[in-house]
Amino acid sequence: MDQAPAADSPANVNAARAGWRRWAIRIAIGLLTVIAAIWLVLFVTKGRFLRHPFESITGKLTRRTVTVGGDFQLYFAPWRIKFVAERIAISNPGWATRPNLFTADRIDSRIAPLSLLFGRRRFTWLELTGGAVDLEWTPDHSANTWTFSEKKGGKRLEFPRIDVAVVNGTTIRYRDPRMQVTADLALADFRSQDARIGRAVGVRGKGVIRSTPFVVNAQLLSPDATANRGKNELLARMRAAGNVVDVSGTLPSIADIENVPLRTRARGKDLSTLLDVIGVVIPRTRTYDLHAQLVKDGDVYRFTRMKGTFGDSDLAGTLTVTHGARLHLDSTLTTDKLDIVDAAPFSATTPISSRPRARWPPPPRPESGRSGCCPMRRCRWRRCSGSMPT
């Protein structure tokens, strides 16, 4: 009687392995064929038929409305992803005063494919033309336009790494109802390559703070680090109500000023005009020049190491400004040299050296809430509170 061959004989094992290899090769060839076909279709059509899926998917991810009003391209060219969008717009939340968070006349970019799956997203090329960004806060600072969530602490817009960037005609609008600040800024055109720009990048603009207009000029002195999302050397100057305020320092990123020590200097003909910008009334002063270190922590602005002069007197100490339902000032000030002419307005007296000759009738007696030298509007005091140790 013949014996059946063993199921695990060498011949059967080799045959099974050969069969699996043939299937694996067929599957691999099939996958490569499908990928090649997709690549060819995208390359021939430039991926223009993907515009509506792109708007829908991106809109769901950001919880915003995304539209492309002009040409759209999304394909491999040949190994990098080419993305082109004309008249692109990303909407703002319903509470914002402008309809769109971001608009651009044209975006032309090349994207490293693997960076979309692993690690930080990377653009090998980005050309931005006619970009406009609108950054706004809610009055209670519970939400902003660049955080893609209705809840506080949601995910913010993340910037990718960019190897080569060309930026032309970009503007930024910033609005903070709590601080009553609105600013319209224009970014100077620049080109960066290998994360290097090679020169300072300028920012110019104007705005309004508590009904007082101001102009601002700023420079990124280390834009190479900025292009790499690294530390930045910032130098800014603002002019408002006849005052000049300079701010300089090193920022950990281009828009991060929280808990960062900044060098500040303010000078002008009258310190009261500077404080009046933020709604604080003090008596008029003579020419002043003050410098300090500023650290912003949420709604609290701390000025430390303050030193300077006003008139023929000197001044040193600290000042903390807190923005809340009411503006609160907390200060500790000292002086080594105090001229009577400078002190008189704060003590509601008039120094002999500045008194006019006798006249009749005598000037009216100061009312409550007013000083003899500088009338103060009592309604303005209701907007803030403060403490000043003696």
Side-chain angles (χ1 to χ4, degrees), residues 82-245:
K82 181 175 181 179
F83 172 69
V84 175
E86 293 182 348
R87 300 198 302 277
I88 185 173
I90 302 175
S91 70
N92 260 331
W95 52 262
T97 60
R98 293 284 178 89
N100 295 314
L101 165 67
F102 173 78
T103 60
D105 294 338
R106 180 180 174 85
I107 296 177
D108 187 349
S109 63
R110 306 293 185 276
I111 306 171
L114 293 180
S115 70
L116 300 178
L117 302 176
F118 308 102
R120 181 177 164 189
R121 293 176 177 83
R122 177 172 167 241
F123 282 65
T124 59
W125 167 271
L126 174 65
E127 183 176 359
L128 176 63
T129 304
V133 182
D134 182 68
L135 307 176
E136 298 188 40
W137 282 99
T138 55
D140 60 357
H141 273 212
S142 62
N144 56 52
T145 57
W146 62 94
T147 299
F148 298 121
S149 174
E150 297 299 325
K151 299 180 180 180
K152 191 171 183 178
K155 186 176 182 181
R156 295 189 178 188
L157 177 65
E158 295 181 355
F159 289 89
R161 175 185 172 87
I162 303 173
D163 294 342
V164 179
V166 179
V167 178
N168 298 306
T170 298
T171 61
I172 301 172
R173 176 178 179 264
Y174 179 80
R175 180 175 181 270
D176 187 340
R178 175 183 289 185
M179 296 185 63
Q180 302 180 38
V181 175
T182 301
D184 294 292
L185 308 174
L187 185 65
D189 298 345
F190 70 88
R191 175 190 175 97
S192 72
Q193 187 165 358
D194 296 328
R196 299 192 64 83
I197 299 174
R199 60 181 176 85
V201 173
V203 178
R204 294 188 176 186
K206 59 182 180 179
V208 177
I209 176 171
R210 293 179 179 267
S211 74
T212 301
F214 68 87
V215 295
V216 61
N217 292 285
Q219 284 187 318
L220 291 172
L221 303 182
S222 54
D224 296 339
T226 302
N228 242 334
R229 297 287 294 160
K231 293 184 177 181
N232 313 259
E233 289 293 333
L234 174 68
L235 179 62
R237 171 169 290 182
M238 183 180 74
R239 299 177 183 272
N243 302 276
V244 179
V245 179

Side-chain angles (χ1 to χ4, degrees), residues 141 178-179 258-259 295-302 323:
H141 273 212
R178 175 183 289 185
M179 296 185 63
E258 290 292 324
N259 298 307
V295 175
K296 179 183 181 295
D297 183 7
D299 293 329
V300 180
Y301 297 77
R302 295 185 178 90
H323 285 274

Side-chain angles (χ1 to χ4, degrees), residues 13 71 79 96 160 190 214 240 246 272 285 294 298 303 331 371 380 390:
V13 172
D71 187 24
W79 313 117
F190 70 88
F214 68 87
D246 294 325
S272 68
T285 72
L294 166 64
F303 295 86
S331 63
S371 76
R380 296 294 295 277
T390 57

